[in-house]
Amino acid sequence: MRASRKAKFKGQGPKVKKAKDPQADEIHISGAEGLYGLPEVDRVAKEYFIRAMKHQKGMPDRVVITLEKVEQEPREVPLLQFSTVQCDRPGEARKIISGLLSSVGVSDKAIGKGIRVVASMAMHGAALISCESAARMETDKQRGIRVSRLGIDKDSERKLQRRLSESGINTPTVREAIILASKVASHRDLVAELCVSDDPDYTTGYVASRNLGYVRIPNIKEKGSQSGGRVFFVREGANTERIIEYLEKRPVMVWV
Ligand code: PML
């Protein structure tokens, strides 16, 4: 599901410039993805619709719910363990991000670029940054990469909900972010992920990787800031096309 609103530019009405990405002039309001069995589709589509219409970022003027039959057998990947670090300010968050990314082999140059990407006005999709040279690897930098075709089986979801409830963080935002991060971390050429929500009221972000797990960082940005985004750090020399194919097309089910 994707909910959005046309961006209005002062004194101009809706912007008319033709962009490469048809969604470039839209303000993203909310989005959600999942892999479900046919009997659940009805319920989930309704839940997504309600979520789109009741988002605190306001009323969308466009809600797209796409249903697609998936033929390929999903790959099963383990859920990342989660933890939350103590962090009181965005300045402190930058040091935590640098320490975590550096510990898994991301160069200072790539860390700097990643932080700049998530501190800018959000891209629609994720950026792909080479973990040594810091080169941007995605073919369409405006669109970015959209992680899709991911889900969790019912039993694992119950376990995940129980674990998150024990930490007082059992929300759809956290559940979906951990599932997404688990798919990303399951690709051997993806070294780490950095994520900051573009929701002005949501100031917890994370760094994730196979070795670190899913590390939540409170106060990663100032409240009210509309910046945010996702960055995937890629192993130097990896086949980018195959990574993008995996993230966007390969069905993956996460298990606990
Ligand atoms: C998002 O998908 O909007 C980003 C959520 C990031 C953090 C979720 C969490 O609180 O762990």
Side-chain angles (χ1 to χ4, degrees):
M1 174 277 287
R2 286 187 198 287
S4 59
R5 191 172 47 237
K6 274 265 173 275
K8 294 238 167 61
F9 295 87
K10 244 188 176 167
Q12 295 176 7
K15 202 177 178 189
V16 288
K17 185 176 143 264
K18 261 246 179 301
K20 222 164 128 200
D21 178 354
Q23 293 175 340
D25 292 343
E26 291 180 355
I27 298 166
H28 168 80
I29 293 183
S30 75
E33 297 266 353
L35 278 176
Y36 298 95
L38 194 54
E40 296 170 281
V41 167
D42 207 14
R43 169 187 65 80
V44 176
K46 189 167 169 201
E47 279 173 16
Y48 281 176
F49 175 68
I50 292 168
R51 204 196 303 187
M53 302 303 281
K54 298 227 156 117
H55 200 276
Q56 52 196 21
K57 278 169 94 177
M59 192 67 159
D61 54 27
R62 182 177 160 92
V63 179
V64 180
I65 299 178
T66 309
L67 305 176
E68 202 178 347
K69 184 177 175 190
V70 172
E71 305 277 4
Q72 198 178 7
E73 192 60 31
R75 179 179 172 207
E76 294 186 6
V77 308
L79 186 89
L80 291 175
Q81 297 285 338
F82 63 87
S83 60
T84 305
V85 293
Q86 162 87 33
C87 175
D88 299 323
R89 295 176 292 284
E92 206 180 328
R94 276 192 288 280
K95 289 191 191 132
I96 295 168
I97 293 166
S98 297
L100 290 168
L101 291 174
S102 169
S103 76
V104 292
V106 182
S107 70
D108 289 350
K109 199 171 164 193
I111 295 171
K113 190 172 269 186
I115 291 177
R116 282 197 295 282
V117 168
V118 296
S120 62
M121 292 299 281
M123 285 168 66
H124 288 291
L128 212 53
I129 295 180
S130 208
C131 74
E132 187 57 52
S133 66
R136 284 286 290 274
M137 304 305 288
E138 70 274 19
T139 26
D140 184 340
K141 292 185 185 55
Q142 196 175 33
R143 172 185 176 274
I145 290 150
R146 303 200 169 121
V147 184
S148 194
R149 304 193 183 176
L150 67 174
I152 186 165
D153 66 85
K154 278 218 167 72
D155 190 41
S156 294
E157 177 156 36
R158 267 193 294 274
K159 287 187 198 155
L160 173 61
Q161 293 224 30
R162 201 176 324 123
R163 287 185 197 172
L164 291 172
S165 294
E166 284 162 11
S167 304
I169 51 169
N170 186 18
T171 65
T173 305
V174 179
R175 288 198 297 275
E176 285 165 14
I178 297 182
I179 293 167
L180 185 149
S182 300
K183 176 172 181 182
V184 174
S186 70
H187 194 290
R188 67 192 150 109
D189 288 329
L190 289 168
V191 175
E193 176 186 353
L194 167 64
C195 171
V196 176
S197 172
D198 61 1
D199 184 334
D201 293 321
Y202 204 95
T203 57
T204 298
Y206 66 85
V207 166
S209 87
R210 245 180 331 286
N211 296 333
L212 299 167
Y214 177 93
V215 185
R216 304 179 67 241
I217 307 171
N219 301 306
I220 201 163
K221 69 170 189 179
E222 300 289 354
K223 203 168 167 61
S225 159
Q226 294 190 12
S227 64
R230 273 195 164 86
V231 174
F232 305 140
F233 295 94
V234 194
R235 201 174 302 291
E236 203 69 28
N239 183 323
T240 316
E241 264 174 42
R242 275 205 215 135
I243 293 174
I244 297 174
E245 166 78 18
Y246 181 78
L247 293 172
E248 296 195 335
K249 301 277 161 51
R250 180 79 164 93
V252 162
M253 286 299 268
V254 172
W255 60 270
V256 186

